[in-house]
Amino acid sequence: MTYPFVAVVPARHASTRLPGKPLADIAGKPMVVRVAERAAASGASHVLVATDHGEVAQAARRHGVEVCLTSPDCPSGTDRLAEVATRMGWPDDTVVVNVQGDEPLIDPELIRATATLLHERTGAAMATVCHPLLDLDEVMNPNLVKVVLDRDGHALYFSRAPIPWARDAWDGKERSLPAELPVYRHVGLYAYRVGFLKAYLGLPRPAIEAFESLEQLRALYHGYRIAVLTIDRPMPPGVDTPADLEMVRRLFAEY
């Protein structure tokens, strides 16, 4: 069954490792436009770029992409989407997918599947994505966020720490990754119901969110359920550094 949803591409001009990232050229178009094209290919009924920067807005509009200018003071991507949803006047039951502005290779089908999961999990306020981790170094890497799931595929907790902890396998210096350990990497693709986005703005920030620096923990802390789609393999690489950008440019050239 096909469900309706909208897609928003948040795009911040400021980036510590790659300033002006949304405007980086990829095969003749700014990266933010390439992401918006992937979002449009997902079947979203409405696609727009959310940005607080005039140059990013102009670049998107030149390529026919709708823009919503947002406050430069939004503390998180979720807050930025909440501002967009409020300004656009979308009904509370609208499903909105947050497509990160540095994912020009994202699979449109994955965007649609995340929206579909939220439509079908009526008790959830959000949906997101994960995939198995099969390398011990990645499991231990605090830059990779892990998620633990319940039996129905809802998130129990997100952490930068290795969770769940394999006590017997990791109690000494020599460690290995147990074959049956259900360890999953969280992928930052989100779908939300607009009603939740509006409520999110009024939720106090808990200590677990502040210390882990993971905004989705605010939802869990306040009792909201997050449905998680498990995929078999990692998503294509995003763009965080100049080296990432060159790799993505090569991949586009090959296509």
Side-chain angles (χ1 to χ4, degrees):
M1 181 176 180
T2 301
Y3 298 96
F5 66 96
V6 299
V8 177
V9 181
R12 294 177 63 253
H13 187 271
S15 172
T16 303
R17 290 181 288 182
L18 190 58
K21 181 165 60 171
L23 300 175
D25 181 87
I26 298 178
K29 293 181 181 179
M31 179 161 58
V32 67
V33 173
R34 289 296 185 190
V35 177
E37 290 174 341
R38 304 295 278 184
S42 72
S45 60
H46 192 175
V47 176
L48 58 83
V49 167
T51 185
D52 59 3
H53 197 276
E55 287 184 53
V56 175
Q58 291 173 9
R61 287 170 177 150
R62 278 198 300 269
H63 290 272
V65 180
E66 185 177 351
V67 174
C68 180
L69 286 171
T70 55
S71 167
D73 300 322
C74 290
S76 72
T78 307
D79 291 279
R80 194 174 302 279
L81 258 71
E83 181 181 343
V84 171
T86 301
R87 297 178 78 174
M88 298 299 294
W90 291 327
D92 285 355
D93 60 352
T94 303
V95 169
V96 182
V97 181
N98 177 351
V99 184
Q100 298 288 348
D102 56 5
E103 299 281 354
L105 296 176
I106 190 168
D107 183 356
E109 175 56 35
L110 183 58
I111 298 172
R112 181 168 56 250
T114 306
T116 297
L117 178 65
L118 185 56
H119 272 290
E120 294 177 345
R121 298 291 182 89
T122 56
M126 297 171 53
T128 191
V129 179
C130 74
H131 66 79
L133 279 176
L134 304 176
D135 180 87
L136 181 62
D137 289 338
E138 291 184 337
V139 173
M140 298 295 173
N141 184 349
N143 294 316
L144 303 185
V145 178
K146 275 69 70 175
V147 59
V148 173
L149 308 178
D150 70 11
R151 65 179 183 180
D152 297 318
H154 295 95
L156 290 172
Y157 192 70
F158 298 86
S159 182
R160 298 181 184 279
I163 55 173
W165 181 263
R167 186 196 65 174
D168 294 340
W170 297 343
D171 62 355
K173 292 183 179 180
E174 295 296 327
R175 294 175 175 173
S176 60
L177 188 61
E180 301 303 318
L181 184 69
V183 58
Y184 297 98
R185 179 184 177 181
H186 173 234
V187 175
L189 176 64
Y190 294 102
Y192 308 86
R193 300 187 198 280
V194 165
F196 165 75
L197 285 173
K198 293 176 181 177
Y200 183 88
L201 292 175
L203 297 177
R205 189 185 192 210
I208 55 173
E209 176 190 355
F211 281 103
E212 291 264 21
S213 191
L214 297 173
E215 63 194 81
Q216 65 270 34
L217 289 175
R218 191 184 315 180
L220 289 183
Y221 180 85
H222 289 283
Y224 291 93
R225 302 191 81 184
I226 302 176
V228 185
L229 175 68
T230 301
I231 57 178
D232 294 336
R233 60 183 65 86
M235 285 173 50
V239 177
D240 288 320
T241 67
D244 294 338
L245 178 59
E246 289 307 311
M247 178 176 61
V248 168
R249 283 171 170 165
R250 287 197 300 273
L251 290 172
F252 263 84
E254 292 173 5
Y255 294 154

